[in-house]
Amino acid sequence: MSTLIINNLSKTYANGVKALDRVNLELENGMFGLLGPNGAGKSSLMRTLATLQEADTGTATLDEIDILNEPAELRKVLGYLPQEFGVYPRITAEQLLTHLAILKGITNTSERKELVNYLLDKVNLYEKRNKSVKGFSGGMKQRVGIAQALIGNPKLIIVDEPTAGLDPGERNRFIIY
């Protein structure tokens, strides 16, 4: 069981916008959503927890990992899907996921191949695995993004609008999974 603890987390951007103001939160295993109007700091909190930006003050820990001071340790157990997931356009879905699995430390070739095939099947792209991502629709690219966020059995998964661009059938598949 994992626990995410955030204490007095604050972030003010260079333009003076205070995105996070002493945020305190404790979450145990489960699925949680952030709701609020545009500009409320949801994406800022997610980017900070995903180690893509630094906080000005405060602490954040996932179990024994100090997220703000040990970003490399967190990245080993993190799955992240930003609102806009960019892909390498000239490679196939299978090549992209294989490359990302290697970066996540999955070095055993057969284990990696099995994982990539499993994830492609789960996001309903197995039949398109050898197609260039360049030709994928927005929804298909989003499904590749979902698959990459699940590589390595992460302890913490952060997704920013994960079903954006998915058709109703794929949204249902995602929610059920």
Side-chain angles (χ1 to χ4, degrees):
M1 175 122 105
S2 294
T3 304
L4 174 66
I5 301 172
I6 301 166
N7 286 313
N8 294 313
L9 199 64
S10 295
K11 173 67 178 177
T12 302
Y13 292 107
N15 64 2
V17 171
K18 184 169 251 182
L20 303 173
D21 187 12
R22 294 170 297 191
V23 174
N24 292 290
L25 193 58
E26 184 170 332
L27 302 172
E28 293 190 357
N29 282 5
M31 186 183 317
F32 302 93
L34 297 174
L35 298 174
N38 291 343
K42 301 178 301 292
S43 292
S44 293
L45 178 60
M46 287 187 271
R47 280 194 311 271
T48 301
L49 294 175
T51 73
L52 298 174
Q53 69 182 18
E54 293 182 2
D56 299 327
T57 61
T59 62
T61 59
L62 178 67
D63 297 331
E64 306 301 318
I65 301 170
D66 181 336
I67 294 171
L68 305 180
N69 293 311
E70 301 173 283
E73 290 303 308
L74 179 75
R75 290 180 193 134
K76 292 176 185 176
V77 297
L78 174 70
Y80 178 64
L81 176 60
Q83 190 170 359
E84 304 252 343
F85 174 67
V87 295
Y88 300 110
R90 291 188 169 84
I91 63 175
T92 69
E94 183 177 50
Q95 290 170 327
L96 177 60
L97 293 178
T98 298
H99 174 71
L100 294 171
I102 291 168
L103 293 176
K104 280 290 247 189
I106 301 170
T107 56
N108 181 289
T109 304
S110 61
E111 177 187 343
R112 187 173 56 244
K113 185 167 183 56
E114 183 179 330
L115 173 65
V116 167
N117 287 338
Y118 171 80
L119 290 171
L120 285 167
D121 183 59
K122 283 298 176 188
V123 297
N124 202 23
L125 287 174
Y126 184 79
E127 298 301 319
K128 306 281 187 190
R129 70 189 178 280
N130 295 314
K131 301 284 185 199
S132 173
V133 178
K134 176 180 169 180
F136 281 10
S137 68
M140 291 168 74
K141 288 177 184 173
Q142 188 72 355
R143 287 166 20 217
V144 172
I146 292 166
Q148 68 79 32
L150 298 173
I151 293 172
N153 197 22
K155 290 170 69 174
L156 175 64
I157 301 173
I158 298 173
V159 294
D160 194 350
E161 305 210 21
T163 60
L166 299 183
D167 64 42
E170 289 302 326
R171 282 181 190 226
N172 287 339
R173 280 177 50 86
F174 175 78
I175 291 165
I176 291 168
Y177 177 66

